[in-house]
């Protein structure tokens, strides 16, 4: 699974073949075919693995966040790292491929919905946000949408300095919105 995700992140959907993944994983083609007889089966299993890995990565990084002043910026920076790293790049490859592949689409959509719910829930928790207050749920979702968009902007060029400045500014607005009410 790690070899499949790494291949997706480095070589994209078209460069991720069962032969290349077996070679990268150091297993025989026969062993790979025994467990995953088709590229679709291999990638579907990788999609599931990828989802679990993304959720585990979020939880691991969340445990190291500071408390008090600067927490919002730290939460946003953590999320931005998730949306600019290799797991996100692999996920993007799957999203693009799933757009035109019904079998892959059927596997990717529920997984991405689950990851989206978990990301939202965790962001609410990390920010100490009260979603019973008007506008808070929307502010959290806007934050995740903003960060995902910044992750896309980072694909072709290093957008780090602009992203950090934008997120610092957004953190101030978000803190105000979360405290208002």
């Amino acid at each position: 699974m790690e070899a499949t995700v790494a291949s997706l992140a480095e070589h994209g959907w078209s460069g991720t073949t069962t032969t290349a993944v077996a070679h990268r994983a150091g297993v025989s083609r026969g062993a790979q075919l025994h467990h995953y007889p088709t590229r679709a089966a291999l990638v579907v299993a990788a999609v599931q693995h990828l989802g679990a890995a993304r959720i585990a990565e979020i939880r691991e990084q969340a445990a190291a966040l500071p408390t008090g002043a600067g927490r919002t910026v730290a939460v946003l920076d953590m999320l931005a790292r998730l949306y600019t790293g290799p797991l996100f790049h692999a996920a993007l490859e799957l999203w693009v491929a799933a757009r035109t592949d019904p079998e892959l689409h059927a596997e990717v959509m529920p997984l991405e919905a689950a990851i989206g719910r978990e990301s939202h829930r965790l962001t609410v928790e990390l920010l100490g946000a009260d979603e019973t207050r008007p506008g808070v749920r929307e502010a959290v979702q806007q934050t995740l949408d903003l960060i995902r968009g910044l992750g896309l902007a980072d694909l072709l060029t290093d957008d780090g300095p602009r992203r950090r400045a934008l997120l610092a500014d957004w953190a101030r607005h978000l803190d105000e919105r979360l405290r208002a009410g």
Side-chain angles (χ1 to χ4, degrees), residues 80-179:
R81 283 191 307 275
L82 290 173
Y83 285 98
T84 56
L87 287 176
F88 181 65
H89 294 172
L92 284 176
E93 291 295 331
L94 293 177
W95 293 352
V96 171
R99 187 179 70 80
T100 57
D101 183 322
E103 181 183 1
L104 191 56
H105 187 271
E107 294 294 329
V108 170
M109 287 303 297
L111 182 61
E112 283 302 319
I115 291 169
R117 284 189 303 273
E118 179 66 12
S119 297
H120 186 99
R121 186 201 62 73
L122 187 58
T123 303
V124 166
E125 178 185 318
L126 294 172
L127 293 172
D130 179 1
E131 286 192 300
T132 64
R133 294 180 30 222
V136 170
R137 180 171 182 72
E138 292 80 3
V140 170
Q141 194 56 52
Q142 289 166 350
T143 299
L144 291 169
D145 290 344
L146 169 68
I147 291 172
R148 187 179 307 112
L150 291 170
L152 291 171
D154 193 69
L155 283 174
L156 298 177
T157 63
D158 177 9
D159 202 34
R162 185 180 79 85
R163 181 178 60 250
R164 284 187 290 281
L166 196 148
L167 289 177
D169 186 55
W170 180 251
R172 287 189 295 279
H173 292 293
L174 185 59
D175 279 338
E176 288 174 16
R177 190 149 180 205
L178 294 177
R179 285 192 308 260

Side-chain angles (χ1 to χ4, degrees), residues 22-67:
H23 183 263
R24 182 180 200 125
V27 300
S28 71
R29 177 99 167 103
Q32 181 264 310
L33 288 172
H34 174 73
H35 294 286
Y36 307 102
T38 66
R39 175 176 144 166
L42 176 64
V43 173
V44 164
V47 167
Q48 293 167 341
H49 173 78
L50 177 61
R54 286 176 66 196
I55 289 169
E57 186 177 357
I58 289 169
R59 287 188 177 137
E60 180 183 316
Q61 291 184 10
L65 290 173
T67 58

